[in-house]
Amino acid sequence: MEDTEVIKARLALNMIRTKKNEDDLEDCEPVSPVGRIFLKPLLNCYVICLFGCKEEINVQMLKKNVENSPLFKHKRFSSLVKEDSKGKLRWVPTKANIDDHIIIPEIDPTINKSLDFCDEYAAKLATAPPLDPSKPLWQLHVLNIKSAEAAATMILRAHHCLGDGMSLISLCFACAHKANDPKSLPTIPRPARRPTKHISLVSFMFLSFCRFILMMFYTFVDLLRLVATILNILKDSNTPIKGSTGVGYMPKRLAHVNFGLEDVKTIKNAVNGTVNDVFLGTLAAGLVRYLDRIYVSGGQTMPSNLLVRLLTPVNIRPTPGLQALKDMENEKGQCRWGNDLGLFIVSVPMDKYEDPLDYARAATAICNKKKSSLEMYICNLIKLLPGQIGEYVSSNLTGNTTLTFSNTVAPEEEVDFFGQRLTYIAPTTVGLPHSLAVYFMSYMGNVTLMVTAAKEVMPDPKQLCLDCLEALGYMKQAAIATSKRLTC
């Protein structure tokens, strides 16, 4: 691994200081506060997303489709990050060359191309040299190599300063259409609203008052924990999956597995929770299995009081519709764009439960408290902190927690993306000082679990995927058994 100071110096060179025409930069859009944080040496983050394709990719056709897409015409994807005379970073429009962004890697034909080759290639991109700052900060890599789920794979590598993960993925869907209807944009499912009960005014006011008291209480508790974490008072347990200083620059391993969304819904209904609650419960059960195996192999018993917390990013602003994103290429488009993120710090339930459903129940209870807290809005204020202070706070939040967790929803129907029908979508984020990132993406009735891990900390992230898959199976069996008992 490179020396930390060398890495910092190399990353610092990413920003080009303009010595001429500085006055022209004053009219350019400034980089958002969160975008500036993502450009800091300690938090130089990239979004990496794998798109599995049904058929081999025609590269020339792909280039043509990308050139005519909202993504290529998007202001952020056709701009450079430059520093003006006052030291402020701005988006400076430029003319993008499609050949600079569609990457066809030269792959040795004699090497063994395993079914996990695309994951291995993406892992190399995770710690590859920073993108050339003299060009817009994104690439689309094309691998015409068969994997377990696809005939070919496209891998998007985009700097996180271009936008938050949800915005970037949504922009990709704005470049797609329904496979069976080329004129229609994909449909992004929205969470169903629970039916409201008609109650009296007195009852409504009483319930509202109780919710307000709970919100203030949970917010106060979360604020205390947040401050303790920033000041290095509260730290996660030093488990085998907890990274050390510099873990963001360590070589990575990627792995993913797929499972049915219906299994998740079966568990969700059994615990009266949400899909996200089930994902968190599945991760918790998988981590318990994974860590227990490590402790037992070392002749120890897994401690019962482990503190393992995750950071989960939340969009503060509503995600724009796909049509609005598609219209952003036009001057009339009024869609807001950028990084406008809040954070939840969530404790993972690490107990050994006899009933598998207790993991989902515990996750539901935790998430319900978080929904009643203003923590994500408080964390969003970090972007207002000046340079080094903001970097220090962000670094401590990630350094004193264990992993990153996210759940993204994709279209329910099959989509055509740049002329390619997709079989799966697997996003992740790299560059944060976390040893582990876990992402769930639902698409076309299936869920892809993507695990990104520092190689030195978790040499085989596929094992964690399998542990989560096994835990999900036990939870489904318990949910079915519970349902049968209730109907008898």
Side-chain angles (χ1 to χ4, degrees):
M1 185 176 66
E2 297 181 63
D3 183 81
T4 303
E5 294 302 320
V6 175
I7 294 174
K8 287 183 180 180
R10 178 165 57 87
L11 293 176
L13 293 175
N14 278 1
M15 300 301 100
I16 302 175
R17 186 173 184 91
T18 305
K19 294 184 179 180
K20 57 182 179 179
N21 298 326
E22 289 178 336
D23 294 337
D24 297 338
L25 298 186
E26 299 298 326
D27 297 329
C28 296
E29 180 187 1
V31 177
S32 67
V34 179
R36 292 197 297 270
I37 291 175
F38 280 132
L39 286 163
K40 295 292 184 180
L42 292 178
L43 290 170
N44 197 53
C45 300
Y46 286 83
V47 173
I48 293 178
C49 187
L50 282 71
F51 298 92
C53 304
K54 264 190 172 181
E55 300 174 348
E56 187 173 314
I57 300 170
N58 183 320
V59 177
Q60 293 306 316
M61 184 63 70
L62 175 67
K63 288 183 179 181
K64 182 179 178 181
N65 290 335
V66 173
E67 266 190 309
N68 295 324
S69 71
L71 184 145
F72 193 75
K73 298 175 183 178
H74 191 285
K75 291 181 180 179
R76 295 284 175 88
F77 283 74
S78 57
S79 295
L80 308 178
V81 177
K82 292 187 178 182
E83 194 176 78
D84 64 17
S85 58
K86 298 178 181 178
K88 180 176 288 188
L89 299 179
R90 295 183 179 273
W91 293 105
V92 182
T94 187
K95 184 173 178 59
N97 182 354
I98 189 65
D99 292 322
D100 292 333
H101 300 281
I102 304 298
I103 310 299
I104 316 299
E106 295 184 5
I107 301 172
D108 187 348
T110 63
I111 65 173
N112 179 29
K113 302 179 184 68
S114 66
L115 294 178
D116 296 327
F117 180 86
C118 295
D119 285 347
E120 294 168 1
Y121 183 89
K124 292 179 181 178
L125 288 180
T127 50
L131 292 176
D132 185 351
S134 65
K135 303 170 186 175
L137 299 175
W138 65 277
Q139 292 177 339
L140 189 65
H141 294 247
V142 179
L143 299 177
N144 272 319
I145 294 172
K146 289 185 178 181
S147 64
E149 302 98 345
T153 304
M154 294 183 288
I155 304 177
L156 175 68
R157 185 190 184 205
H159 200 287
H160 218 313
C161 69
L162 294 175
D164 56 63
M166 191 64 195
S167 296
L168 293 173
I169 296 298
S170 296
L171 178 60
C172 288
F173 294 145
C175 301
H177 59 77
K178 295 179 181 179
N180 58 2
D181 186 359
K183 295 183 180 180
S184 298
L185 289 170
T187 304
I188 304 295
R190 296 186 179 276
R193 291 186 177 181
R194 297 184 177 182
T196 55
K197 297 180 180 180
H198 295 286
I199 57 176
S200 65
L201 179 61
V202 175
S203 299
F204 174 78
M205 293 179 66
F206 176 73
L207 290 174
S208 298
F209 176 75
C210 292
R211 290 193 186 104
F212 176 77
I213 296 299
L214 282 176
M215 180 186 70
M216 297 306 294
F217 174 74
Y218 290 138
T219 301
F220 177 71
V221 173
D222 287 338
L223 180 59
L224 288 180
R225 291 173 177 167
L226 178 67
V227 172
T229 302
I230 293 172
L231 297 178
N232 293 319
I233 299 171
L234 182 62
K235 300 181 181 180
D236 279 15
S237 302
N238 189 23
T239 64
I241 61 172
K242 180 76 169 62
S244 57
T245 303
V247 70
Y249 302 114
M250 291 180 181
K252 300 291 189 294
R253 284 278 176 87
L254 272 69
H256 72 270
V257 294
N258 298 320
F259 52 89
L261 184 59
E262 283 303 317
D263 295 347
V264 177
K265 291 180 178 179
T266 299
I267 301 167
K268 172 184 79 77
N269 294 333
V271 300
N272 194 29
T274 66
V275 168
N276 191 71
D277 299 340
V278 177
F279 288 156
L280 178 58
T282 300
L283 173 61
L287 286 174
V288 169
R289 280 171 167 74
Y290 185 87
L291 286 175
D292 187 55
R293 184 185 303 107
I294 294 177
Y295 281 109
V296 170
S297 65
Q300 299 177 313
T301 301
M302 189 179 86
S304 59
N305 57 345
L306 290 178
L307 177 60
V308 176
R309 293 178 297 167
L310 56 84
L311 294 182
T312 180
V314 183
N315 281 322
I316 296 298
R317 68 175 184 280
T319 303
L322 297 188
Q323 187 61 52
L325 286 169
K326 188 174 182 179
D327 292 341
M328 285 185 74
E329 61 188 274
N330 304 318
E331 293 298 327
K332 296 180 181 180
Q334 299 297 317
C335 177
R336 288 179 61 196
W337 181 267
N339 286 282
D340 200 0
L341 295 173
L343 289 174
F344 278 133
I345 305 177
V346 181
S347 295
V348 181
M350 296 297 294
D351 294 319
K352 291 183 180 179
Y353 295 114
E354 292 185 7
D355 183 354
L357 284 180
D358 282 345
Y359 288 102
R361 294 188 183 104
T364 299
I366 292 170
C367 291
N368 285 341
K369 291 179 181 179
K370 289 296 178 180
K371 292 172 188 175
S372 299
S373 170
L374 299 178
E375 180 183 23
M376 66 175 180
Y377 297 102
I378 295 172
C379 288
N380 182 254
L381 298 178
I382 294 173
K383 67 183 182 183
L384 302 178
L385 298 175
Q388 291 185 347
I389 298 177
E391 186 177 2
Y392 171 82
V393 170
S394 301
S395 179
N396 280 6
L397 279 179
T398 50
N400 292 329
T401 53
T402 301
L403 68 149
T404 306
F405 169 88
S406 185
N407 163 35
T408 309
V409 180
E412 293 181 333
E413 70 274 348
E414 185 180 33
V415 301
D416 186 301
F417 179 58
F418 295 141
Q420 307 297 323
R421 295 198 174 192
L422 301 183
T423 58
Y424 76 91
I425 306 167
T428 189
T429 302
V430 296
L432 290 171
H434 272 162
S435 62
L436 186 62
V438 179
Y439 282 72
F440 290 86
M441 168 69 83
S442 58
Y443 166 63
M444 211 168 61
N446 289 312
V447 179
T448 299
L449 164 60
M450 168 69 91
V451 175
T452 303
K455 187 177 178 181
E456 293 182 16
V457 178
M458 185 180 287
D460 185 16
K462 190 77 170 186
Q463 184 58 56
L464 177 58
C465 290
L466 296 176
D467 286 336
C468 289
L469 207 58
E470 182 182 28
L472 184 77
Y474 285 125
M475 291 164 68
K476 178 188 174 184
Q477 291 175 12
I480 293 174
T482 300
S483 178
K484 288 181 178 178
R485 286 197 301 269
L486 293 175
T487 54
C488 290

